[in-house]
């Protein structure tokens, strides 16, 4: 039986030397991002499913030089990150995660070394699904594409420091008018889960 594993490696472009930075027998690592200051690597860690439970998905941070073990930035968060991007100052990370049919944007404020769990703030308060995160160099905004059941993907600007509504950026055509009305219905299951 074959086995496939995703790892993160660092390759010295001068010497060709390869060094494995992130590996684990029970998890895969993907979507590595080097911090703007060049000191850390962020990656998505996806635990392998077992017969008893699904594997957890989280963001981990490790020094690029491998001088410390990877730190789980989202320990205890009950959402799985989908996409992540560094803030220009390397002091926080913006990420999306599915949440009851939506995909809001979160900011994870990093603690000083050694890194521990991040302080997570949800930045978007609407019903949008966000992708293509692009933090501004000045640190004040995050640009993204926002889609929802009632609107196609559109470019928006978010305040990078506090929760709020997105600002729709002008485009060559205005937003389309869609027919109908959307009504959301939810119920609570016997185990307390909201459906």
């Amino acid at each position: 039986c074959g086995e496939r594993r995703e790892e993160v490696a660092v390759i010295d472009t001068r010497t060709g030397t390869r060094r494995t930075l992130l590996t684990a027998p029970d998890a895969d690592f993907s979507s590595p991002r080097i911090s703007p200051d060049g000191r850390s690597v962020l990656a998505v860690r996806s635990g392998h499913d077992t017969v008893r439970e699904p594997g957890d998905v989280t963001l981990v941070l490790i020094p690029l030089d491998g001088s410390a073990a990877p730190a789980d930035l989202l320990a205890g968060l009950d959402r799985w990150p989908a996409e992540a991007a560094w803030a220009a100052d390397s002091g926080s990370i913006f990420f999306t995660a599915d949440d009851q049919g939506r995909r809001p944007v979160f900011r994870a404020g990093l603690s000083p070394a050694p890194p521990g769990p991040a302080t997570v703030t949800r930045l978007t308060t609407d019903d949008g699904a966000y992708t293509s995160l692009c933090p501004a160099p000045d640190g004040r905004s995050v640009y993204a594409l926002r889609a929802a059941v009632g609107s196609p993907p559109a470019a928006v600007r978010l305040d990078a420091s506090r929760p709020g509504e997105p600002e729709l950026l002008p485009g060559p055509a205005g937003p389309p008018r869609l027919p109908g009305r959307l009504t959301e219905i939810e119920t609570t299951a016997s185990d307390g889960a909201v459906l």
Side-chain angles (χ1 to χ4, degrees):
C1 178
E3 181 178 306
R4 190 191 82 169
R5 183 182 307 164
E6 293 180 48
E7 303 175 327
V8 174
V10 177
I11 299 174
D12 186 316
T13 57
R14 288 173 301 175
T15 65
T17 305
R18 181 185 190 276
R19 175 174 49 91
T20 301
L21 187 64
L22 289 167
T23 186
D26 61 346
D28 291 320
F29 296 89
S30 61
S31 304
R33 304 278 187 266
I34 297 176
S35 61
D37 65 12
R39 296 172 20 174
S40 304
V41 175
L42 171 75
V44 175
R45 180 188 189 278
S46 303
H48 296 166
D49 296 341
T50 67
V51 175
R52 299 185 190 279
E53 61 186 25
D56 190 31
V57 179
T58 189
L59 296 175
V60 294
L61 184 68
I62 188 169
L64 182 59
D65 64 9
S67 60
D72 183 350
L73 297 180
L74 306 180
L77 185 70
D78 64 347
R79 299 289 179 263
W80 289 1
E83 155 183 6
W86 281 97
D89 67 358
S90 301
S92 58
I93 292 160
F94 300 97
F95 69 95
T96 61
D98 290 339
D99 182 31
Q100 296 185 353
R102 294 152 177 83
R103 184 173 279 184
V105 177
F106 298 86
R107 183 186 70 243
L110 303 181
S111 59
T119 303
V120 177
T121 304
R122 181 175 170 161
L123 292 180
T124 53
T125 57
D126 65 329
D127 65 350
Y130 292 84
T131 60
S132 306
L133 301 179
C134 184
D138 66 7
R140 296 178 6 199
S141 304
V142 178
Y143 298 93
L145 290 180
R146 178 198 177 274
V149 171
S151 61
V156 296
R157 178 175 32 230
L158 306 169
D159 187 319
S161 63
R162 62 179 181 267
E165 294 290 318
E167 175 190 350
L168 181 64
L169 299 176
R177 293 181 54 91
L178 300 176
R181 183 180 76 213
L182 175 67
T183 303
E184 188 170 347
I185 299 173
E186 66 180 40
T187 187
T188 304
S190 59
D191 64 357
V194 177
L195 310 171

